[in-house]
Structure formats: C-alpha cells, structure tokens
DNA sequence: CTCCATAGGTTTACCGGTAACGTGGGTATC
DNA sequence: GATACCCACGTTACCGGTAAACCTATGGAG
C-alpha cells in the first residue's frame, strides 16, 4: 500500500535514483522515462517521504519554526497569517510554538525544534535566554527575530522600535494639549516590548516638561477587562489625569468602556490612546487614537527574508517596517 | 561540533544502542553507565535528531498537524492555544496550516503534512475534499475533526452542533418577543458552519410561526466592517426588523455600531445577537446576547483525544463540548 | 553441580531517500 | 580516426537513529 521509490523504480523499469530525479523535477532523463515514472507513481499512489529526504540530505529541509508570545493574540494571528501565506507559496511547512513571554519556555521550544533539523527559525522579540542564543549560533541556523528591532540581531531582524512608538504617542498627546498623562500596561515584567513603549512614552513626556503622572502595569493578560480595571485603578489614584496611553487597543477599549460607565467624556474630559491597531478600534463611535502596526507585512517580510537567506541571496540584517500613528478622535 | 549517538558511545565506552536507551530513559543499563552517558552527552552538547528517530521507527513520530480556516480568527487562536498547550505538555510538536475555507487548499496542506509522516492530524470542519478523506483513510492516520460535529467523522470528532446554536438563538429571540428577525452572515458559500447556524435559526423561527424576515450573507471576512455594512444593507431593505442575528460577535458589534450611528436604540428598537463569544462583547455598555463557545477546551480535548488514540486507549468517536447561550442585554 | 533467569549490555539489519561518482553509447570536434 | 564531451542513466555509500535478536557473566533454585 505504501509505495516507495524502489517500488516505482521496479514497476517502471528504471533505478531508484532516476525516479528520485524525475519526481523532484531535476534533469538527466528522457521525456519518455519521465512520463512513465510519473504514471507509475500516480498509479501506486506514491506519497513522498520528506522525513527520509530531510534526513538523508539535511539541506533539503523545508521546515520552518516560528515562536510567538501567545497564540491568542490578535496581532500575532495576523503575523502568523503573513508568515504562513508566504511559506506555503514557497513550498515550506510551518511549525509553531508559544513562549508565553518566558524565555525558558522559548528555549525548551527551540530545543525541540532544532531536533527536527529545520531550515530556519522565526522568533518574536529581542529577549532570549543565553541557552537559546547559544544553541542557534552553534547550529548556524538562519534566524529572523521579528516584532522589535534588536540592536544586534542573532542573525536577521524584521520589525520596528517599540520605544519610538511610545515616544511618538507621548509627543502626540503633548501636541494635543495634554499635560497629565498616565499609562496602563499589562504582563508586568513579562512583556519587554510593552515596557519599551512605556519607556519611550515616559521619555517624550519628560522632555516636553510634562512628565508621566502615573502608571499602572498589571500582571494580567492585555485584554478588555484589564483595560477596564486598569483605568479604574489609575483614576482612583489620580483623578486629574487628562490622558491615558494603553498597552494595546483591547485595553484602550476597555478603558473607554470604563469612561462611558463613569460618565467621563472622551476626549473632552480625558484622552484615550491605544496601540497596535485593531479593526474594532476604527468603528467605535469615536475612532480610537492608536498606532497601526503592519502585522501581516512583518510576517511576510520575515518569511521572505528567511527563504532568501536559504537560497543564498544577500539579506539585510535589519528590515524596518514602519508603524503609523492614527490620530483618531479619542485624544 | 554536531555529536551523534556514535560519538557519545565512543566517548563513554559503550555501544550506540546503550546510549539510545539511556537518553530515552529506558532500561537495561546500570546507574553508573547512565550517569556516564548523560555526562558525556551534556559535555558534547548532543542535540537529538528526531528526523532520524522518526524515520527509523515511524511510530515514534511526535509531530501533529493542525489545519484551521484562518489564522487571523480570534476564536481559532484560542483553539490553537488549547491544542498547543496540551501537545507541548505531552511532548509533541505542532505543524499548522490554513485552508482559507477552501477544501482544495486543505488537501494541498494535508498532502504536505502526510509526507512528514506525522503521528496525527487535527482538521477544522466537516467538509473535506474526496482526495483528503481518501488520503487520510489510506494512511490510517489518527484524525480529529473539530469545531462542528460530523455525523460520521473520518476518525474522531470534537465539537458541537452549529445548527443547534442557530436554533437555540432563534428560540431565544422568539421568547423575547421578537417577531421579525433577520440574519447577517459572511463568507458566503465558503463557510459551511455559518450556513448551518443560519439553517438552524431559520428552522426555529419557522417552527415558531414567525419565519426569518430577511438574510444578508456577504462574501467578506466576518469582521466589524462587514457587520456594520451588513446591518445597513439589511435595514435598507427591511426597516421593520426587530432583531438581527449575526455570523459572529465581531459582526454583531459592527451592527451595534451602526445602530448607534443611526440612533436606533438597542434592545428597545431592535435586538442584536452574536455568536462565538469574545471578551469585548461582555464589556460593552450593554452585554451582547451571544453564544459562548469553549474554544480552548475544544483544542485541549482534540489534542488529548489524538494522543490517547496514539497510546492505544479507547477514545469516543464523538466528543460533544457544549456551548452556552448568554442572554446579555441586547435582545 | 547443573539449570535457568536476569541484569546489562552488544550486534545486526534496516528505515527511504540523496549526493557523488561511474558508465556506456552516441555525437560533435579537431 | 582519435579525442572530447554530453546524455541518460545505474551504483554505491551514506544520513542517525531504533527494533529485535543475540551474547555473557552472575546468582540463586533445585
């Protein structure tokens, strides 16, 4: 039932090697042989064995691994989609994992992945355990780090600066006349990139002479609830805030919901800003002030950089994919 | 640099086979041998080669494939998360793909997957091409079909009935006194499961003597915009509707936004119902009437059923994971 | 004292491809 | 006419594990 190259070879009256060449679309055989082999392969229902192929000739692997922080993140869903579409088109298979914002979980996943001898790896973020970096360097695997720009990537990087995103929003709030801005974050200590946005935000505000009034960084997942309760906590401490910058759009919408529940007018009484871009954010009664992140484009660029490297093409070490601040109507 | 079993064997003064047994935690060696082998493996930085292992002994594969309709779907992100957590815990690796609601794309993906000789496959939905079914049957691979309950699954199924979801919501609207209900769908012709919900909805309304007033099934992706414009279209045709059931919560929220923009009061002037569950839906000024789907639980159950089958345990052909209608405040 | 079970190994034979190299015959070139 | 060269293949030697069969002391039972 399970035919292999040998079976086809016997039935077609050629050698195993010729069958291999024909099926991989190589050269070194006549048209006659080609059609004969193809027909026999079809008739026997041959299913290629990539395991054997990748094992016998390691450079032939078409397996790519990708690790995201959380599979439930809407933004990373789009990144995954971009990666998947590009890889599928190029004939690669995608193995995924989640690191839950923990470098040791990432390392465990990378170890598993490497044991499959993949063609390359896509990681999210700039923070990795020494073991991960060491392993990837030793195996000399092509690596693309996405999402945040690493000053010195392990191999290649595709993304943007979270620090700059925060700074840009800080400046925007100042320009809109806000003077007492706060911040609501999530995943305290776990999410380095949210922290980078806060850093940039804080720096921009300080430089403008109106330093960050207060910040509440929760330990929870960055969802609507966290935004709602983060807003509540922040306002209970500082009732005089005139703007709040959130970890992401989900949380900002949660914050908006809280304002609505308390009868606070947005943007008159208080300004609300999110980050990341989310379809819902643009259809709210007032369009959310936020920063759009080209998620799918990042995924696509990462996959293409990886494959380009595999084909020996020159690939830039760092690819910057610009984000865009959308003023909206909530600040 | 790349050590293999042979290298470890030589350095530890034992045979390759003993090293293999030690590393896999088997038996048939002394404690002394064990520690010696482990130390040498550690020192040489041995990286197991799962490719070789799976190739040499096919039943040893720890690779599981999963195909979802779209990687950008919030609901399936949670399903993937459930699958991933369960598989990681059990020592399996996850290969993913998207079928974009097209059976031929699914078949192409399955063919690629099968060539990696995986331990099992998780598919979404009940609709597959004959080629897919044929291939899976021939390879006798463990298969779990999730999301919708197939009357006769290829192998195993985990999910619920979309038809029943629709019928339950139809009945709920009737009970709330709605008499002229409409439906707004998406992914016309592509999404069989949304169509099943519409069927159930229509049947329940008809049986109650207040048949479906109108339906608008768009071709677009089921997002906020589609909900907004679908609502607009539906109301322009039938201004007298007193309830609208949407393909999912995103679209329902889009519909709510349209009502708000037009000054329609919800639920007084018109009722709005969604499907699927979405964190945002429960934090709106009025909680959305919807059906909660236990996404993560489905993923977990699917992964566990697959692994149970692999270990030879008896697994029920069909696992029903109940959904729950949440009345909310929009109907 | 023999027999036998058992612990603790070793040996052998694959799994199904692919790279590298070999080969025979025909054809173009000098 | 000899040489070179190419085409269309065939041969051989792996890749790194694992299953299964096979050894060989050692200790205890009968």
């Amino acid at each position: 039932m399970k035919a292999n190259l040998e079976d086809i070879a016997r039935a077609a009256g050629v050698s195993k090697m010729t069958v291999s060449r024909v099926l991989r679309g190589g050269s070194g055989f006549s048209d006659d042989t080609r059609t004969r082999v193809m027909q026999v392969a079809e008739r026997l229902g041959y299913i290629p064995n990539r395991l054997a192929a990748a094992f016998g000739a390691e450079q032939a692997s078409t397996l790519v691994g990708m690790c995201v922080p959380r599979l439930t993140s809407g933004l990373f869903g789009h990144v995954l989609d971009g990666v998947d579409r590009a890889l599928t088109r190029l004939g690669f298979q995608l193995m995924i994992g989640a690191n839950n914002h923990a470098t040791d979980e990432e390392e465990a996943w990378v170890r598993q992945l490497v044991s499959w001898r993949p063609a390359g790896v896509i990681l999210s973020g700039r923070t990795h355990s020494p073991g991960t970096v060491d392993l990837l360097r030793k195996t000399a695997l092509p690596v693309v780090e996405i999402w945040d720009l690493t000053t010195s990537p392990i191999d290649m990087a595709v993304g943007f600066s979270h620090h700059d995103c925060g700074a840009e929003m800080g400046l925007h709030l100042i320009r809109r006349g806000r003077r007492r801005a706060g911040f609501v974050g999530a995943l305290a200590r776990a999410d380095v990139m949210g922290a980078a946005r806060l850093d940039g935000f804080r720096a921009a505000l300080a430089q403008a002479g109106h330093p960050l009034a207060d910040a509440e960084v929760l330990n929870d997942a960055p969802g609507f609830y966290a935004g709602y309760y983060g807003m509540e906590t922040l306002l209970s401490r500082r009732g005089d805030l005139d703007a709040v910058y959130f970890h992401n759009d989900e949380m900002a919408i949660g914050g908006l919901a809280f304002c609505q529940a308390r009868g606070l007018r947005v943007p008159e009484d208080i300004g609300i800003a999110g980050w990341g871009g989310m379809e819902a954010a643009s259809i709210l009664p007032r369009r959310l002030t936020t920063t759009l992140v080209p998620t799918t484009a990042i995924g696509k660029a990462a996959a293409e950089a990886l494959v380009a490297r595999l084909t020996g093409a020159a690939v830039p070490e760092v690819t910057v994919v610009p984000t865009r601040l959308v003023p909206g109507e909530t600040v």
Side-chain angles (χ1 to χ4, degrees), chain A residues 3 9 12 20 28 41 50 74 80 115 144 146 158 284 300 303:
Chain A
S20 170
R50 230 172 257 276
L80 267 177
S115 75
V144 182
I146 63 161
V158 175
L284 292 167
K300 184 164 182 279

Side-chain angles (χ1 to χ4, degrees), chain A residues 110 113-114 117-121 135-144 154-156 306 309-310:
Chain A
V110 169
L113 179 76
V114 167
R117 305 292 188 264
V121 195
L135 185 61
L136 291 174
R137 281 204 204 285
K138 268 189 185 145
T139 53
L141 226 48
V143 179
V144 182
I154 299 178
D155 184 16
M156 295 171 281
L306 200 59
R309 156 71 46 94
L310 291 173

Side-chain angles (χ1 to χ4, degrees), chain A residues 235-247:
Chain A
L235 286 180
S236 72
R237 288 204 302 251
R238 290 285 307 245
D240 63 334
L241 293 180
D242 62 6
V244 177
Y245 181 32
F246 286 82
H247 176 97

Side-chain angles (χ1 to χ4, degrees), chain A residues 107-259:
Chain A
E107 179 171 343
W109 178 81
V110 169
R111 282 193 188 282
Q112 294 292 331
L113 179 76
V114 167
S115 75
W116 284 99
R117 305 292 188 264
V121 195
I122 301 175
L123 298 178
S124 346
R126 72 200 302 177
T127 319
H128 315 290
S129 71
T132 302
V133 176
D134 196 49
L135 185 61
L136 291 174
R137 281 204 204 285
K138 268 189 185 145
T139 53
L141 226 48
V143 179
V144 182
E145 289 167 275
I146 63 161
W147 210 232
D148 194 15
L149 288 183
T150 311
T151 39
S152 159
I154 299 178
D155 184 16
M156 295 171 281
V158 175
F160 54 90
S161 163
H162 286 258
H163 190 277
D164 291 357
C165 281
E168 192 181 13
M169 188 57 82
L171 200 56
H172 179 72
L173 296 190
I174 293 294
R175 287 209 181 114
R176 290 284 180 140
R178 308 292 162 163
R179 294 294 175 258
R180 293 175 306 282
F183 179 88
V184 174
L187 297 166
R189 286 186 307 280
D191 182 24
V192 188
M193 293 173 275
R197 294 198 292 277
L198 172 54
D199 279 350
F201 185 61
R202 194 197 302 271
L205 294 179
Q207 196 177 352
H210 305 289
L212 185 70
D214 198 1
E216 170 69 11
V217 181
L218 305 164
N219 268 315
D220 311 11
F224 298 91
Y225 288 125
Y228 189 99
Y229 294 111
M231 186 72 173
E232 183 169 33
T233 306
L234 205 62
L235 286 180
S236 72
R237 288 204 302 251
R238 290 285 307 245
D240 63 334
L241 293 180
D242 62 6
V244 177
Y245 181 32
F246 286 82
H247 176 97
N248 66 9
D249 283 5
E250 273 98 330
M251 291 186 71
I253 293 175
L256 274 173
F258 178 80
C259 292

Side-chain angles (χ1 to χ4, degrees), chain A residues 28-44:
Chain A
F29 45 82
S30 64
D31 275 2
D32 182 49
T33 302
R34 204 182 74 86
T35 51
R36 197 151 32 93
V37 167
M38 294 295 249
Q39 278 170 7
V40 173
E42 173 74 17
R43 180 161 57 80
L44 297 182

